[in-house]
Each structure stands twice: as structure tokens, then as C-alpha cells.
Amino acid sequence: MAFELPPLPYAANALEPHMSANTFSFHHAKHHNAYVTNLNNLLKDSPLASKSLEEIVKATAGDASKAGIFNNAAQVWNHTFFWSSMKPGGGGKPAGELAAKIDAAFGSFDKFKEEFKNAAVTQFGSGWAWLIEEGGQLKITKTGNADTPLAKGQKALLTVDVWEHAYYLDYQNRRPDFVQAFLDHLANWDFAAKNLKG
Ligand code: MN3
């Protein structure tokens, strides 16, 4: 059963002006779609083809002979997770248990934003910044290229894609402005809270 490109959880222009429909026309319809196509091609005649996406990511992580499958499978998973990490009218502050855990881990929500932005801006080259839970504790991490908390036994709560293709059409080289817009206007704290409980 081949994998399919999942639809966006909102209209392609729903996050404007912070992320444009033009960006989605490349990032979702071309980049994300290419990872799905590549993965399906690489899985032909592989015993992994019957596994779930999550199982494939976990089974191929750290295996140099399966780097192609890992990279494409992880990028399919990471992008689907990223689209849900944003929503129209997002940003602002989380509430409830998630807010309490952020305060406990980082001191305050402002301090969290500072550290998250720092991780996203200092990821050298292509990659991702994440809010994760590990051992009951919230942490901020960054991963290079396709790497993902899913491969490390960590629970991902929220992510921002900092590959240049994520922001270049709207922000050109200004990655800090993109990450700021993500935190102020796009971050989907309902999704992060659901992941924390899940
Ligand atoms: Mn991307």
C-alpha cells in the first residue's frame, strides 16, 4: 500500500501573510510530495513496504544502508507534523498542563520562546527545531536534515522547519523573522497539548 501526500489541515492561503500560498505550492505540493514519491519508489520490493510510516522511520534510523529510506520517510513524517504544528490565528500562549510544564522546564513562556528561537536560528544548514518531551521533562532540540525525535524515542510536541525552502519565498534569508512569525502567529498550541497527552 503506497503512501500518499496528506492534504494540508487548512487552505493553502490560510496562514497568510505569515506563510504564503506560494510557499505551500512548493513546500507541500512539490517538496513534501517528492519525499512521498521517493519513499514509495525506494520501498518497492522491500519488506518494509508493509510497515507504518512510524515503524519505517524507527526501523531505518542509524542504518547507513537504509539512509535513503530513512531520509524520505522521516521527511514525510516531519512535514506532516509541521503542517499540524501551525494553524490560522495561532501563536500566543499555551494553557493548562502544557503551560505549566513549559514554565517548569524553562522558567517562563518568554524564556521558552527565546530558547526555541535560538535553537531554530542556530541550526546550521537544513533541519528542524522541536519542543519535545523526554523522561517527563520538556526540552528544546534541533535536528539536522531529516533527523527527527521519532528516531530517538522522544515525544515530539511541536516543530518548525528551518530548511531554506520553508521560508525563502516569504522571508528570503531572514530566518529569525520567520521563526518569530511562527511563534507569534502560527504555533498550534492545541496540537502540542494533544501530543503531550497522547
Ligand atoms: Mn521542508
Side-chain angles (χ1 to χ4, degrees):
M1 180 69 184
F3 290 101
E4 288 178 9
L5 179 69
L8 290 172
Y10 33 70
N13 65 356
L15 303 188
E16 292 187 343
H18 310 293
M19 189 174 287
S20 65
N22 191 31
T23 283
F24 278 112
S25 74
F26 286 93
H27 200 178
H28 178 252
K30 304 281 190 217
H31 289 275
H32 194 181
N33 192 51
Y35 296 127
V36 173
T37 302
N38 292 341
L39 178 62
N40 286 330
N41 287 335
L42 288 164
L43 287 175
K44 273 179 193 152
D45 307 319
S46 164
L48 288 167
S50 62
K51 305 285 188 193
S52 72
L53 186 61
E54 288 79 3
E55 287 170 334
I56 292 169
V57 170
K58 290 175 184 170
T60 57
D63 182 344
S65 73
K66 298 203 168 56
I69 294 177
F70 173 79
N71 284 334
N72 285 283
Q75 284 293 78
V76 172
W77 191 87
N78 288 346
H79 281 88
T80 303
F81 193 87
F82 176 46
W83 309 140
S84 288
S85 291
M86 302 183 288
K87 67 173 187 179
K93 286 185 171 185
E97 187 195 353
L98 178 59
K101 289 202 115 178
I102 285 176
D103 286 347
F106 307 105
S108 68
F109 184 65
D110 284 345
K111 207 63 186 117
F112 156 79
K113 283 203 293 186
E114 197 182 305
E115 288 186 36
F116 186 87
K117 187 175 176 184
N118 186 54
V121 169
T122 60
Q123 168 55 36
F124 186 77
S126 296
W128 303 79
W130 304 85
L131 176 64
I132 63 153
E133 187 191 47
E134 186 173 43
Q137 182 81 11
L138 297 200
K139 298 174 186 174
I140 291 164
T141 63
K142 48 187 177 177
T143 59
N145 297 318
D147 204 6
T148 175
L150 183 62
K152 305 171 196 289
Q154 300 164 330
K155 186 193 279 186
L157 304 185
L158 196 79
T159 194
V160 63
D161 184 345
V162 294
W163 286 55
E164 271 192 348
H165 67 222
Y167 59 87
Y168 207 84
L169 295 175
D170 295 323
Y171 299 87
Q172 292 77 50
N173 62 323
R174 292 175 287 114
R175 190 194 289 186
D177 291 354
F178 164 60
V179 177
Q180 193 67 51
F182 174 85
L183 287 167
D184 292 345
H185 303 289
L186 299 175
N188 184 349
W189 291 115
D190 297 334
F191 179 66
K194 195 188 81 180
N195 291 326
L196 181 64
K197 287 195 169 67

